[in-house]
Amino acid sequence: MRAVAVRVHALREMLRLLRRQPGSFFLAVLLAAAAFTVPLAVTSIARSVAPLAQQLPLGPEISLFLSMSASPAEIRQLQSQLTARPGVTQVEWITRDAALRALAQRTGNSALGELKANPLPDVLVVALAPQTAPAEVEQALGELRKLPRVESIAADTDWHRKLAAILRAAAAAGALLGAVAATMLVLIVLASVQLQLSSAAEYVRVLRLVGADARFIVRPFVYAGAVTLAGGALVAAGLTSAGLIAAAPQAAGLAQLYGATLSLQPLPLEWLAAVTAGSAVVGGAVAALATRRAMAVTR
């Protein structure tokens, strides 16, 4: 019962702290929401785009043009050999007839389908893992050229280098964005605690005189820090969800122009609940450290 009474008292003192400077509290919540909004929005968009990205051939592809005399049995054997190579995710066999039909459909020339002799070769398209390094792609090109029944090969490796560079830049930008947001949140809690301590200096002084322990004094400020960041996370979650829902029709229409399907979805409620709970823990921890340090300096 005593533990419950102590926590109820701390909650009441926290409410008094917030009522003394309501403008500062709401400003801190809004600043925290601003810091949360961009990471939440980026995470939501990335999660919505992930299914679309999985449909794209992100790894490099090497096309092997086979000899016209290669038999189906030889091609199947070569396909199995290539599939077993390290770093190969898929080997697709495009037959001569399928290639001719695709060419006729693409060019709109139906006369191609009436050719007596098909001039196109069978092709094996070797898809490599997206994390394959450019040097490994070059090595694979040299090895695949020496395979039997392979007349020539073709591979566009420039786009893979560019994609790898873009992904590295995106990862660096994401890390920087996360670091900036985390720094802002810590500074917001520190500033909020400092204001609350200045407004409650007399309260803290009296508690010290009567011999209250540090945990009893610090607890209301811990609760205030937790409420500040949790409130910011909730506001950011609401703003992000509303923005994504409003932008979803326009994003879907834009994706349809390129023959793709895109559905912007807010983060699941369990994710948002985890972010809010984590924010409360971090806010409380930062507030506890800041309050204890301030008390030690003024002792």
Side-chain angles (χ1 to χ4, degrees), residues 10 17 27-28 41 52 60 80 90 105 107 152 162 169 171 187 189 202 227 238 259 272 276:
L17 287 174
L27 178 60
L52 178 62
S80 299
Q90 182 182 5
Q105 183 178 5
T107 60
S152 62
K162 294 176 181 177
L187 292 176
V189 175
E202 185 64 22
V227 169
L272 297 177
T276 303

Side-chain angles (χ1 to χ4, degrees), residues 55-259:
Q55 301 173 13
L56 302 176
L58 298 180
E61 292 183 346
I62 302 175
S63 298
L64 308 182
F65 299 94
L66 306 182
S67 170
M68 301 291 286
S69 60
S71 66
E74 291 174 322
I75 296 174
R76 280 192 291 269
Q77 181 180 0
L78 181 58
Q79 185 180 20
S80 299
Q81 179 183 348
L82 292 171
T83 303
R85 285 177 60 93
V88 174
T89 59
Q90 182 182 5
V91 179
E92 181 184 4
W93 176 12
I94 302 177
T95 65
R96 301 169 58 198
D97 294 337
L100 186 62
R101 288 194 300 269
L103 180 61
Q105 183 178 5
R106 187 179 306 168
T107 60
N109 188 353
S110 58
L112 291 175
E114 300 175 1
L115 293 176
K116 294 182 179 180
N118 186 348
L120 300 179
D122 290 283
V123 180
L124 290 178
V125 180
V126 181
L128 302 179
Q131 64 270 22
T132 305
E136 295 175 333
V137 177
E138 295 297 333
Q139 180 181 356
L141 288 173
E143 295 173 354
L144 295 180
R145 284 192 181 96
K146 302 175 183 178
L147 292 176
R149 298 299 186 180
V150 175
E151 291 288 333
S152 62
I153 66 175
D156 182 10
T157 58
D158 288 340
W159 74 268
H160 182 249
R161 293 192 182 94
K162 294 176 181 177
L163 176 61
I166 291 173
L167 291 178
R168 287 194 298 270
L176 178 61
L177 178 63
V180 170
T183 303
M184 286 182 60
L185 292 172
V186 171
L187 292 176
I188 289 167
V189 175
L190 291 176
S192 179
V193 168
Q194 191 62 41
L195 288 173
Q196 291 161 2
L197 280 171
S198 63
S199 66
E202 185 64 22
Y203 165 76
V204 173
R205 189 182 69 82
V206 170
L207 288 180
R208 281 182 168 181
L209 289 174
V210 299
D213 62 5
R215 286 186 299 176
F216 185 87
I217 299 173
V218 168
R219 189 173 281 114
F221 300 96
V222 172
Y223 290 172
V227 169
T228 299
L229 282 198
L234 287 174
V235 173
L239 292 175
T240 303
S241 299
L244 290 174
I245 293 173
Q250 290 78 9
L254 180 62
Q256 286 179 356
L257 296 177
Y258 296 92

Side-chain angles (χ1 to χ4, degrees), residues 36 185 225-226 229-231 233 270-286:
F36 274 119
L185 292 172
L229 282 198
E270 55 269 23
W271 287 34
L272 297 177
V275 170
T276 303
S279 302
V281 172
V282 172
V286 173

